[in-house]
Amino acid sequence: IAGITQAPTSQILAAGRRMTLRCTQDMRHNAMYWYRQDLGLGLRLIHYSNTAGTTGKGEVPDGYSVSRANTDDFPLTLASAVPSQTSVYFCASSERGNQPQHFGDGTRLSIL
Amino acid sequence: GQNIDQPTEMTATEGAIVQINCTYQTSGFNGLFWYQQHAGEAPTFLSYNVLDGLEEKGRFSSFLSRSKGYSYLLLKELQMKDSASYLCAAMDSNYQLIWGAGTKLIIKP
């Protein structure tokens, strides 16, 4: 079934550890996005990529990095996790920037 | 600044009609999206408006007024499965989505 796959589904992580959240799509979409969702707040864009080989910073990029080596994969890395990064992380993709975004099932991350 | 406002929570009765309002302020505008999100799940796309007027899609309709910075989502013949959060998002001049915090819709029998 075509779509977006995120891994892991959930993770508990000690503060200071490095963590990479994986995101893979098989729809050949050009644009990909990473959001975090916190209670009472709207989805906030962390980083995005309009096409393979390019990335950009969103609203809340500090403490996170991304890469887009190919069309399908868009991993998000927390270099040194802090408790404020406890959140639900969603990866999304769209055919182009002005098209509807399709979301993965999310990664629930807790930093202790 | 950029901002999206929508009610935090609404309650409606099964079989009835409910309208969820959204006002937006963005730097440029490239359309208004509505998404549905059930608890613990991913958002799913419902509708997209870029021109003024009403777009109807089955039991769901979405309206846009660009001059007023206003949109609404209309849900008819409510079913229990419609209990979810409804997210309003406006696309700015950089084609980035600015998201509201979501409206939690509670359907009562």
Side-chain angles (χ1 to χ4, degrees):
Chain A
I1 297 176
I4 299 180
T5 302
Q6 290 186 236
T9 302
S10 65
Q11 182 78 44
I12 299 173
L13 190 67
R17 298 297 295 270
R18 180 184 179 91
M19 176 74 190
T20 295
L21 308 186
R22 300 185 297 279
C23 176
T24 299
Q25 54 105 358
D26 61 4
M27 297 176 284
R28 307 303 291 172
H29 283 174
N30 288 306
M32 297 187 74
Y33 314 85
W34 274 105
Y35 292 95
R36 59 178 291 173
Q37 187 175 40
D38 301 291
L39 198 63
L41 298 177
L43 288 161
R44 291 184 291 170
L45 183 65
I46 304 170
H47 285 286
Y48 66 94
S49 170
N50 288 328
T51 189
T54 68
T55 62
K57 294 182 179 180
E59 179 186 356
V60 289
D62 294 344
Y64 306 94
S65 63
V66 292
S67 61
R68 186 89 184 276
N70 57 61
T71 297
D72 299 344
D73 301 301
F74 192 44
L76 176 74
T77 297
L78 288 70
S80 180
V82 296
S84 62
Q85 292 177 312
T86 293
S87 188
V88 180
Y89 290 86
F90 285 104
C91 180
S93 72
S94 64
E95 190 172 341
R96 292 186 303 277
N98 62 347
Q99 297 295 305
Q101 294 179 14
H102 301 267
F103 285 78
D105 288 337
T107 294
R108 284 142 190 84
L109 187 62
S110 295
I111 313 296
L112 303 179
Chain B
Q2 306 199 103
N3 191 51
I4 305 286
D5 283 318
Q6 55 181 129
T8 302
E9 187 175 295
M10 299 181 70
T11 302
T13 304
E14 189 177 15
I17 299 172
V18 71
Q19 177 175 312
I20 302 173
N21 296 323
C22 170
T23 58
Y24 63 89
Q25 287 179 301
T26 55
S27 301
F29 180 74
N30 281 298
L32 195 291
F33 293 79
W34 284 96
Y35 282 77
Q36 181 189 60
Q37 186 177 26
H38 285 100
E41 298 183 6
T44 56
F45 169 72
L46 288 177
S47 69
Y48 171 64
N49 296 68
V50 67
L51 300 176
D52 285 356
L54 187 68
E55 294 275 348
E56 297 185 77
K57 194 184 293 185
R59 293 189 300 114
F60 292 9
S61 302
S62 56
F63 172 84
L64 177 67
S65 169
R66 294 177 64 136
S67 62
K68 295 182 179 178
Y70 168 70
S71 174
Y72 67 73
L73 181 69
L74 191 71
L75 292 74
K76 304 176 184 176
E77 301 169 14
L78 286 169
Q79 302 175 9
M80 297 303 293
K81 67 179 182 179
D82 298 329
S83 292
S85 287
Y86 291 85
L87 313 181
C88 173
M91 183 167 280
D92 69 13
S93 58
N94 294 318
Y95 297 96
Q96 301 299 333
L97 283 177
I98 310 302
W99 295 82
T103 298
K104 183 178 181 181
L105 179 62
I106 299 168
I107 310 295
K108 295 186 175 181

